[in-house]
Amino acid sequence: GLPPVPDVVLDPFLGSGTTYLVARTLGRAAIGIELSDEYAAMARRRIGLLIETAHHEGTKDTKGEDEKTPMPPATAESEVAG
């Protein structure tokens, strides 16, 4: 395949994580922000499946040589300082 593109995709409305997953699949770094705990949990599950699939197929995650797994999206509690 093609070498990873050194871009970062920021999705401030992460939802179920589709944009995040596509970015990672295309070799980009990704940052997702989601206020809803329900959607943040859904995105974490989907991202977890991407990680499991990559490990089962013997491939590394789509980012680069040193980063093997994407960071999970943060919830409002971890993003907002009190």
Side-chain angles (χ1 to χ4, degrees), residues 18-74:
T18 300
T19 299
Y20 186 99
L21 292 171
V22 171
R24 298 300 299 177
T25 301
L26 295 175
R28 276 110 171 133
I31 299 169
I33 302 168
E34 180 55 56
L35 294 177
S36 166
D37 289 336
E38 181 180 343
Y39 278 101
M42 184 186 314
R44 281 193 185 96
R45 282 192 300 274
R46 292 184 72 202
I47 293 165
L49 291 174
L50 174 71
I51 295 167
E52 287 179 26
T53 301
H55 288 293
H56 289 316
E57 292 177 356
T59 61
K60 57 186 172 219
D61 186 29
T62 55
K63 175 67 173 64
E65 297 300 321
D66 296 326
E67 185 175 338
K68 299 205 183 326
T69 56
M71 294 298 293

Side-chain angles (χ1 to χ4, degrees), residues 69-80:
T69 56
M71 294 298 293
T75 61
E77 293 80 21
S78 62
E79 286 293 315
V80 178

